[in-house]
Amino acid sequence: MTLLKINDLTHYFGGLCAVSRFNLTVEANELIGLIGPNGAGKSTIFNLITGIYKVEKGEINFAGQDLLSKRTNQISKLGIARTFQNIRLFNELTVLDNVRISHYASLKYGPLSALLHLDGYRSEEMRSIAEAKQLLSYFKMEGLAYETAKNLAYGQQRRLEIIRALAAKPQLLLLDEPAAGMNPNEIDQLMEFVSQIRKQFNLTIILIEHQMRMVMNICERLKVMDFGVTIAEGKPTDIQNDPKVREAYLGDKFGAA
Amino acid sequence: MINPYIELILMYIGINIILALSLNLVNGYMGEFSVGHAGFMAIGAYVASVMTVLIFPAWPVLLTFPLAIVAGGLAAALLGLIVAIPSFKTRGDYLAIVTLAFMMMVKSGLENIDAIGGARGFLGMDRLTNLPWVIFWVVITIWVIRNFIYSNYGRGVLAIREDETVGELMGVNTRQVKVLAFVISAFFAGVAGGLFAHLLQYINPTMFDILKSTDILVMVYLGGVGSLGGSIIGAALFTILLEVFRPLQVWRMVLIPLLLVLLMIFRSRGIMGFTEFRWLIPKREKNDTPKNK
């Protein structure tokens, strides 16, 4: 089943073409890697999918729904969640509240119930707290539930960002450089973690990453971009030997060799 | 009986608590910067006064007074709804300017309506505000704003302050949250205005200018942003300080800002910024894990 279909997506920043005629079809439960040098337009694609940038040209279709007319929070509600290249947690809030904010769209009580703390409010809040704690304990972070997010260690912050995204119960998870700033040992753990959540939560994942070891190991299919243009796609082993990819990463001289 | 002077101060403290809590919702919890709160207060004051003086002068006071206060609050809430709309696209300094412009519009609007006295002001209200009523409204305000903060929408408010884009990405309907926050905040500012008008028994448009907004801002930042307890302490302390330093006459306008400058240097979060009295936190939100250290 096709989960995400991007057609002919083009985006300009002023005169600069950040993404040019980008196409991508993602099947359910796939893990796709999006790689390319800095400034290739990878994060721009995430921002276009999630509605942060307005799509001017092209089509994005998710689970049979056209995303172009939707606002970011509606797109999130359809089942797309993401993490960020530079960690963006709700720093002053507790770990628990960071997770619970992702329940916004799924809690069923209205403003009046919230203001007067009626019964509907109580039961839904209890459910939200229980669910958030369960999720945290699954990742062995329940002991940090009442810690302020900014006080967590770097690795824990990265992990919390993914947990927060999972709390929104997505079908499609967009990971933007989750391995940034990690040492080889931590990257091994992260790979393990990504495979684990993928199975456990039945996820489809698009991964942006510079860590070739990680990308080559866990992705089923890769798409390589440079200056907004797709230069190659295929299985990791094919990509490794593609002359165009070598040129983009290593420069002309090496690519020709 | 309480000394009438003390009673008067207590009533001012109560009204200021309502104002500070109302502003803290937008400025402290949501992290926007509204300087237009005097405008909401003015609307509440005028609508409530018109209700008791012109519309229901002959009705029993016990019925008309709460009705008038609520009407004032609702009128202010309606304007809150209008101010919320520019906040969808604008934030920070720019939204502050929008709220400032809104306040000026309210003030010059009131100055030009002759039926309610124009710039001369409006009078004829009985002194209907008394200590029990003020306490009643303070309790309602604390309860409702606390309930709002500790709800799904309240977490949406906090998400807007921390990182609005990420909030949206996690599913928070920020437009809905902003509308609710502005409407609730404006409602209580309007309530405070109604109580204020029926305490002073005279109102004019210049009472609700930038200086009034500044007073509320000072109370909020003195007590601490993002804290209900902070707003209660800030409002009480500010009101009491103004009275204590009254013998200093003009010098108190030097001393109080000086205290504020010192506070900002040595404790920039205010007296209890981002912390809360435990009795104000709902039970289920409290940390229930036993301390193991």
Side-chain angles (χ1 to χ4, degrees):
Chain A
M1 190 192 88
T2 304
L3 190 63
L4 180 75
K5 195 162 165 53
I6 299 177
N7 247 337
D8 212 20
L9 190 65
T10 301
H11 194 76
Y12 287 90
F13 291 123
L16 177 81
C17 183
V19 176
S20 166
R21 313 200 66 140
F22 181 81
N23 292 296
L24 178 68
T25 307
V26 183
E27 301 296 322
N29 293 319
E30 251 189 318
L31 202 171
I32 290 186
L34 200 55
I35 62 173
N38 282 324
K42 308 179 298 291
S43 293
T44 306
I45 288 172
F46 276 12
N47 286 332
L48 288 164
I49 295 174
T50 50
I52 303 247
Y53 296 157
K54 212 170 150 41
V55 176
E56 282 146 10
K57 201 163 166 292
E59 292 168 359
I60 305 178
N61 201 290
F62 176 75
Q65 301 245 26
D66 177 23
L67 295 190
L68 298 201
S69 56
K70 298 206 158 45
R71 293 178 2 92
T72 301
N73 65 306
Q74 294 167 323
I75 292 171
S76 157
K77 205 174 170 180
L78 288 176
I80 300 180
R82 70 170 288 183
T83 65
F84 299 87
Q85 191 174 337
N86 45 336
I87 303 172
R88 284 170 78 173
L89 291 169
F90 303 118
N91 278 322
E92 297 288 342
L93 308 185
T94 62
V95 168
L96 192 66
D97 279 347
N98 266 275
V99 175
R100 289 182 69 200
I101 283 172
S102 297
H103 293 163
Y104 186 90
S106 65
L107 288 184
K108 290 178 184 62
Y109 62 82
L112 198 67
S113 199
L115 291 181
L116 306 177
H117 279 197
L118 304 176
D119 280 351
Y121 162 87
R122 278 174 215 282
S123 56
E124 285 288 281
E125 286 288 288
M126 296 300 248
R127 181 172 70 84
S128 156
I129 293 175
E131 268 181 30
K133 284 191 174 168
Q134 198 190 353
L135 193 64
L136 284 172
S137 68
Y138 180 78
F139 295 105
K140 306 209 166 27
M141 284 188 47
E142 74 274 25
L144 297 167
Y146 293 93
E147 194 62 59
T148 308
K150 66 173 180 195
N151 295 340
L152 298 187
Y154 184 80
Q156 290 171 327
Q157 293 197 355
R158 281 255 172 239
R159 189 169 278 232
L160 176 59
E161 232 199 357
I162 297 178
I163 297 172
R164 179 180 66 181
L166 292 176
K169 302 194 182 82
Q171 287 176 274
L172 176 66
L173 181 61
L174 309 174
L175 296 175
D176 197 347
E177 295 195 32
M182 287 189 171
N183 65 34
N185 199 359
E186 288 168 326
I187 290 171
D188 283 341
Q189 286 173 16
L190 181 69
M191 286 198 293
E192 182 70 27
F193 182 74
V194 171
S195 317
Q196 184 198 355
I197 59 168
R198 185 183 167 203
K199 249 186 259 142
Q200 180 72 28
F201 298 90
N202 201 15
L203 291 171
T204 308
I205 296 175
I206 304 180
L207 172 73
I208 293 179
E209 193 45 79
H210 283 303
Q211 288 292 336
M212 280 309 135
R213 193 160 61 88
M214 175 160 181
V215 174
M216 293 298 164
N217 262 315
I218 65 171
C219 292
E220 282 140 14
R221 200 149 61 84
L222 292 181
K223 208 160 168 79
V224 192
M225 294 179 72
D226 195 17
F227 295 111
V229 184
T230 307
I231 55 172
E233 62 180 307
K235 290 211 166 67
T237 41
D238 302 337
I239 295 292
Q240 257 171 331
N241 301 317
D242 191 301
K244 272 182 139 176
V245 178
R246 297 185 130 215
E247 189 184 314
Y249 269 91
L250 302 170
D252 224 353
K253 217 166 86 187
F254 298 96
Chain B
M1 284 308 283
I2 317 174
N3 170 338
Y5 172 69
I6 302 286
E7 192 185 353
L8 185 69
I9 302 303
L10 287 176
M11 283 193 274
Y12 276 123
I13 290 176
I15 292 170
N16 284 339
I17 287 175
I18 298 175
L19 287 169
L21 286 168
S22 138
L23 184 68
N24 205 343
L25 180 58
V26 171
N27 285 32
Y29 287 96
M30 195 153 75
E32 297 292 2
F33 199 83
S34 165
V35 289
H37 253 57
F40 297 126
M41 194 185 167
I43 296 295
Y46 269 89
V47 169
S49 304
V50 167
M51 290 282 282
T52 55
V53 176
L54 298 179
I55 300 182
F56 305 119
W59 289 32
V61 164
L62 207 63
L63 186 72
T64 55
F65 185 49
L67 211 67
I69 298 291
V70 170
L74 289 177
L78 190 71
L79 278 158
L81 185 72
I82 295 167
V83 174
I85 292 166
S87 83
F88 294 165
K89 298 249 174 210
T90 317
R91 60 174 310 160
D93 307 353
Y94 301 98
L95 185 65
I97 290 168
V98 171
T99 60
L100 184 66
F102 153 78
M103 192 184 65
M104 288 168 164
M105 279 155 64
V106 169
K107 183 169 166 266
S108 44
L110 292 171
E111 277 169 350
N112 286 294
I113 303 174
D114 261 344
I116 50 168
R120 294 185 311 279
F122 188 76
L123 44 87
M125 295 79 90
D126 291 324
R127 189 168 154 162
L128 299 174
T129 302
N130 53 26
L131 195 54
W133 272 123
V134 172
I135 293 172
F136 170 79
W137 280 107
V138 167
V139 170
I140 294 278
T141 309
I142 295 174
W143 187 65
V144 169
I145 291 185
R146 185 206 74 152
N147 285 358
F148 182 69
I149 298 296
Y150 292 102
S151 79
N152 203 17
Y153 304 101
R155 286 190 293 278
V157 166
L158 298 177
I160 290 175
R161 179 186 74 203
E162 294 294 315
D163 194 327
E164 187 172 343
T165 312
V166 179
E168 282 259 318
L169 282 163
M170 296 302 143
V172 176
N173 186 346
T174 54
R175 292 189 177 186
Q176 182 186 30
V177 169
K178 283 177 180 175
V179 165
L180 281 170
F182 269 104
V183 164
I184 293 167
S185 175
F187 176 84
F188 286 110
V191 164
L195 292 170
F196 178 75
H198 288 85
L199 178 59
L200 223 64
Q201 295 173 269
Y202 167 71
I203 46 176
N204 72 49
T206 42
M207 286 176 177
F208 307 103
D209 60 1
I210 186 76
L211 287 174
K212 187 76 207 172
S213 282
T214 314
D215 281 351
I216 313 172
L217 282 168
V218 169
M219 291 182 241
V220 168
Y221 288 90
L222 173 72
V225 289
S227 164
L228 300 172
S231 285
I232 297 170
I233 291 179
L237 196 63
F238 182 75
T239 318
I240 293 168
L241 280 181
L242 277 181
E243 286 307 314
V244 169
F245 292 139
R246 197 175 280 280
L248 298 177
Q249 294 167 1
V250 184
W251 283 99
R252 87 180 162 160
M253 285 310 157
V254 176
L255 199 64
I256 290 171
L258 186 68
L259 282 176
L260 199 70
V261 168
L262 291 174
L263 182 88
M264 288 298 121
I265 292 171
F266 293 108
R267 197 175 164 88
S268 56
R269 282 184 161 191
I271 294 167
M272 52 187 294
F274 300 121
T275 56
E276 195 59 270
F277 291 138
R278 266 187 85 77
W279 56 271
L280 280 170
I281 305 173
K283 192 160 162 276
R284 74 187 78 80
E285 298 281 350
K286 285 176 190 163
N287 184 352
D288 54 3
T289 46
K291 286 253 188 309
N292 45 13
K293 274 174 211 163

